[in-house]
């Protein structure tokens, strides 16, 4: 049965007029079987209407199978926003990468296509290591693919403000979102304010502090957001889970959030996060947990054979 609660969650409006649910579903590290089940259940029974994936998550196929099932059950294609991402080594053949994602997802168009990392294609084995196109050429190609009807909206991810401003200066089709790491340990206050002024929605990845401990710099490995006493106390006071308190704080700050879970049992908890409010002082106390602690350190990729990404901050 199609879930009628879908429309009751808040939506944000992108700068091209598209409405996007304030709460989406992240899928990084969701394994194949879990991923299909969780995506299907999220959409059919829990009101989720935004699914976030990427080529490198290697789960576009199970997500595509889940989408087919939910459409067959009566959910309208136009009501679901599917996000996927261009991996940096695919910048040499963007249309090819996009068409591969479309095929795996079993879709005719991608709703939101993001440039996953804003770095050129590097090839350290050769004398001239920069092989990929500069971002203005990448952007022009993405605009062409929007014109061709294969993508509805384009955006960026892990994009530093100077690069975003540069894209903004020449883009015929503006980036609608910047998907960046954001949680109470990494609040990025000035950056969020800047995005608001520009009209670019900030999508908070790792909104619960993530589970990717192996990617963290050593000095941050002991931080455990969901065990923070201030959050535990607020959860007890409001009769919510700690995760719900954190996600509610994200909404208060105006972020779109994409918490990941591979557990069907957590889907309801992670979306029922907008129907209560903390006091201003309590929200500020959560922001006060900030340590500028960035867990997703691209430098770690250098040791994982995923091509070499320069670490910039
Ligand atoms: P999250 O902050 O969403 O945390 C996910 C972890 O929290 C998982 O271990 C999950 O476990 C657990 N969890 C989920 N819900 C709860 C809850 N209510 N209470 C306690 N624990 C919970 O981290 P992610 O790193 O997954 O980020 C979210 C999404 O953002 C990704 O899945 C991906 O779609 C996107 N992303 C984008 C990046 C980019 O470069 N653009 C980089 C990283 C992420 P379990 O699954 O067992 O429930």
């Amino acid at each position: 049965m199609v879930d009628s609660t879908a429309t009751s969650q808040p939506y944000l409006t992108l700068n091209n007029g598209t409405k996007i649910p304030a709460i989406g579903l992240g899928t990084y590290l969701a394994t194949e079987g879990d991923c299909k089940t969780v995506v299907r259940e999220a959409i059919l029974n829990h009101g989720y209407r935004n699914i976030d994936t990427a080529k490198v998550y290697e789960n576009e196929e199970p997500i595509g199978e889940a989408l087919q099932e939910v459409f067959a059950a009566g959910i309208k294609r136009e009501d679901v926003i599917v996000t996927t991402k261009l991996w940096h080594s695919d910048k040499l053949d963007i249309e090819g990468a996009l068409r591969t994602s479309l095929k795996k997802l079993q879709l005719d168009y991608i709703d939101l296509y993001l440039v996953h990392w804003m770095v050129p294609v590097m090839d350290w084995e050769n004398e001239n290591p920069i092989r990929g196109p500069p971002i203005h050429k990448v952007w022009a190609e993405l605009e062409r693919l929007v014109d061709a009807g294969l993508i509805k909206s384009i955006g960026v991810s892990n994009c530093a403000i100077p690069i975003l401003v540069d894209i903004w200066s020449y883009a015929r089709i503006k980036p609608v979102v910047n998907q960046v790491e954001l949680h109470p340990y990494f609040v990025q206050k000035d950056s969020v304010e800047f995005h608001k002024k520009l009209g670019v929605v900030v999508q908070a990845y790792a909104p619960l502090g993530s589970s990717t401990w192996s990617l963290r710099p050593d000095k941050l490995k002991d931080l455990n957001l969901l065990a923070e006493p201030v959050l535990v106390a607020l959860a007890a006071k409001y009769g919510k889970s700690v995760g719900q308190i954190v996600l509610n704080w994200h909404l208060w700050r105006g972020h779109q959030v994409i918490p990941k879970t591979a557990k069907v049992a957590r889907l309801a908890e992670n979306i029922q996060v907008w129907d209560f409010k903390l006091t201003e002082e309590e929200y500020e106390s959560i922001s006060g947990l900030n340590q500028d602690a960035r867990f997703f350190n691209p430098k770690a990729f250098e040791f994982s054979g995923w091509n070499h990404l320069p670490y910039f901050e």
Side-chain angles (χ1 to χ4, degrees):
M1 205 175 84
V2 174
D3 174 21
S4 59
T5 62
T7 49
S8 56
Q9 66 167 306
Y11 275 66
L12 301 170
T13 305
L14 305 178
N15 61 38
N16 62 4
T18 302
K19 305 251 187 239
I20 189 166
I23 304 131
L25 177 68
T27 65
Y28 180 45
L29 299 183
T31 57
E32 202 162 307
D34 290 345
C35 191
K36 180 175 173 183
T37 307
V38 92
V39 169
R40 185 185 60 227
E41 291 300 309
I43 298 173
L44 273 186
N45 294 319
H46 296 284
Y48 285 79
R49 292 293 181 269
N50 172 221
I51 307 297
D52 183 85
T53 182
K55 174 217 166 141
V56 286
Y57 301 172
E58 295 183 343
N59 57 18
E60 290 174 314
E61 274 170 338
I63 291 174
E65 289 166 19
L67 291 172
Q68 286 305 305
E69 292 186 11
V70 303
F71 298 148
I75 300 286
K76 290 189 192 139
R77 167 69 186 92
E78 59 269 29
D79 289 343
V80 182
I81 302 229
V82 180
T83 306
T84 193
K85 310 186 191 92
L86 174 74
W87 191 239
H88 70 285
S89 56
D90 287 332
K91 288 174 185 163
L92 296 163
D93 179 15
I94 297 174
E95 181 168 351
L98 173 65
R99 286 193 183 276
T100 302
S101 288
L102 284 168
K103 195 168 169 208
K104 288 183 174 173
L105 289 162
Q106 302 189 48
L107 297 174
D108 298 329
Y109 63 87
I110 299 296
D111 297 272
L112 182 53
Y113 199 51
L114 308 184
V115 183
H116 206 147
W117 289 92
M118 311 307 298
V119 291
V121 184
M122 309 298 279
D123 174 6
W124 295 105
E125 309 307 321
N126 295 309
E127 251 173 51
N128 179 8
I130 300 178
R131 290 192 294 129
I135 187 66
H136 70 93
K137 292 206 170 156
V138 170
W139 204 257
E141 179 65 353
L142 292 174
E143 290 175 330
R144 186 183 73 75
L145 294 166
V146 172
D147 293 342
L150 298 179
I151 310 172
K152 295 283 184 205
S153 303
I154 45 181
V156 291
S157 176
N158 299 299
C159 184
I161 285 179
I163 303 176
L164 179 62
V165 170
D166 188 49
I167 296 172
W168 195 269
S169 71
Y170 54 71
R172 175 171 60 81
I173 302 175
K174 305 292 186 202
V176 293
V177 303
N178 189 5
Q179 186 178 117
V180 295
E181 179 177 340
L182 252 176
H183 43 73
Y185 287 145
F186 193 37
V187 169
Q188 305 216 53
K189 188 168 183 290
D190 293 344
S191 174
V192 170
E193 286 308 314
F194 181 85
H195 283 80
K196 276 188 192 156
K197 284 186 188 140
L198 195 61
V200 172
V201 165
V202 171
Q203 288 189 310
Y205 81 61
L208 296 168
S210 197
S211 62
T212 50
W213 303 85
S214 61
L215 288 178
R216 290 186 188 184
D218 285 343
K219 62 180 181 184
L220 303 181
K221 284 209 196 296
D222 291 338
L223 288 177
N224 185 358
L225 182 65
L226 299 184
E228 277 292 339
V230 63
L231 297 173
V232 173
L234 286 168
K237 175 176 172 186
Y238 287 93
K240 302 289 176 186
S241 73
V242 177
Q244 287 176 313
I245 296 290
V246 173
L247 295 171
N248 180 276
W249 169 86
H250 280 282
L251 299 187
W252 171 73
R253 295 192 81 230
H255 314 152
Q256 198 235 4
V257 276
I258 45 170
K260 173 261 178 179
T261 184
K263 296 190 172 72
V264 171
R266 277 181 171 155
L267 287 170
E269 175 186 340
N270 286 359
I271 199 169
Q272 295 296 339
V273 296
W274 75 86
D275 53 355
F276 63 98
K277 278 195 168 36
L278 314 185
T279 66
E280 289 293 306
E281 292 73 28
E282 287 166 340
Y283 284 124
E284 293 298 352
S285 73
I286 298 176
S287 305
L289 293 172
N290 182 49
Q291 301 194 27
D292 292 334
R294 179 179 174 161
F295 294 153
F296 279 78
N297 176 355
K299 198 168 176 62
F301 297 163
E302 286 181 18
F303 307 107
S304 66
W306 278 17
N307 260 327
H308 296 260
L309 289 170
Y311 185 39
F312 57 92
E313 251 185 332

